[in-house]
Amino acid sequence: LEHMLEGVAMDTNPLLSTPAAGKSIEIIYQDAAMLVISNPAEFLSVPGKRIQDSVYLRIKQSYPRATGPLIVHRLDKSTSGLMLIALCKEAPKNLQRQFIKRTVKKRYVALLDGLLTADKGNIDLPLRVDLDDRPRQLVCYQHGRPAQTQWQVIERKNNQTRVYFYPLSGRTHQLRVHAAHVKGLNTPIIGDDLSGNKATRLYLHAESLEFNHPISRELMSFQVEAEF
């Protein structure tokens, strides 16, 4: 019924706006087989239903001769940090196998909205999507997929806690839910609009990655500090 709205001033549809406008991807490492990039917050890993601008599109435009599928793993749109990109067809299977076997060492840094009393621990809460409120995730012991996270306090300050997260699995929104859930840390990540309160950004950053090079098998380690 678009004709009924003719001449009526309307706000821009937020679902059609590109949150990555004006942002760029930083190349941390490059060779013939792969890239390691630092991805800004609010940047899609792959094209969405309405928004095409994404890591995949930018890399495809910059490396048109790449024979690999490019995207090896994803970051949540609101999470900044390190990602691996496969440029050749030989690289992705090896890299994905390392993720599946959990030999890739990942560390995230997050700022939580409250003070934790313990200094470290483990969270084991199975997750599934909320079918009535996608993309929200639910803790579900009956149908949820296993999800484990190790955590360690870095600093407590101004009623906030800075922590390291070491996800042992890679479920959607795993760190968000494990931080906010009453059986987890019961302390949401600042800026988590699904489990906590909105802020200028989600204070979650994929800070370091350690893995074996898919071709040479050399051990590789990368770290990019969070901007918060």
Side-chain angles (χ1 to χ4, degrees):
L1 303 178
E2 293 183 1
H3 67 280
M4 298 179 64
L5 300 176
E6 290 182 2
V8 179
M10 301 290 292
D11 292 336
T12 302
N13 185 346
L15 296 178
L16 300 179
S17 63
T18 303
K23 298 182 180 181
S24 59
I25 298 169
E26 181 182 2
I27 305 297
I28 305 300
Y29 172 84
Q30 175 180 349
D31 62 25
M34 55 169 285
L35 301 174
V36 179
I37 67 169
S38 181
N39 194 37
E42 301 303 326
F43 205 127
L44 290 170
S45 295
V46 297
K49 292 182 179 180
R50 299 177 176 87
I51 299 174
Q52 292 298 304
D53 194 9
S54 59
V55 172
Y56 174 83
L57 182 63
R58 298 277 187 99
I59 297 298
K60 188 173 183 180
Q61 291 172 340
S62 298
Y63 298 85
R65 297 184 179 180
T67 58
L70 304 183
I71 302 299
V72 176
H73 65 117
R74 303 182 188 185
L75 289 180
D76 174 44
K77 175 176 71 72
S78 298
T79 303
S80 59
L82 293 170
M83 284 183 63
L84 301 182
I85 303 295
L87 295 178
C88 73
K89 61 183 180 181
E90 295 81 12
K93 286 186 178 180
N94 180 275
L95 291 172
Q96 289 169 349
R97 188 181 306 116
Q98 293 184 58
F99 277 101
I100 292 171
K101 291 185 176 181
R102 300 183 179 181
T103 58
V104 177
K105 295 182 180 179
K106 300 174 286 183
R107 185 176 76 196
Y108 289 70
V109 62
L111 196 59
L112 307 186
D113 190 13
L115 296 176
L116 300 182
T117 55
D119 292 330
K120 61 182 179 179
N122 299 291
I123 303 168
D124 188 354
L125 296 174
L127 303 176
R128 70 166 176 83
V129 68
D130 184 345
L131 298 177
D132 297 319
D133 191 13
R134 296 176 183 269
R136 192 181 301 276
Q137 302 292 309
L138 297 175
V139 172
C140 179
Y141 291 96
Q142 184 176 4
H143 302 293
R145 301 176 68 186
Q148 300 88 27
T149 304
Q150 295 177 346
W151 61 273
Q152 180 180 3
V153 170
I154 306 170
E155 180 185 34
R156 298 177 179 87
K157 186 178 180 181
N158 299 326
N159 201 40
Q160 299 172 345
T161 306
R162 184 179 294 269
V163 299
Y164 284 138
F165 281 130
Y166 302 91
L168 304 181
S169 50
R171 309 304 178 202
T172 300
H173 295 166
Q174 174 177 320
L175 300 182
R176 293 193 191 205
V177 178
H178 280 184
H181 197 273
V182 65
K183 292 185 178 180
L185 296 181
N186 197 28
T187 311
I189 299 171
I190 294 176
D192 182 0
D193 56 355
L194 294 176
S195 304
N197 299 312
K198 289 185 178 181
T200 54
R201 62 157 292 172
L202 176 68
Y203 282 71
L204 179 63
H205 175 75
E207 182 183 64
S208 71
L209 277 175
E210 185 175 292
F211 58 96
N212 291 316
H213 190 279
I215 306 300
S216 71
R217 305 301 192 264
E218 176 188 358
L219 182 64
M220 310 193 76
S221 181
F222 299 92
Q223 181 171 325
V224 173
E225 300 291 335
E227 295 182 351
F228 55 82

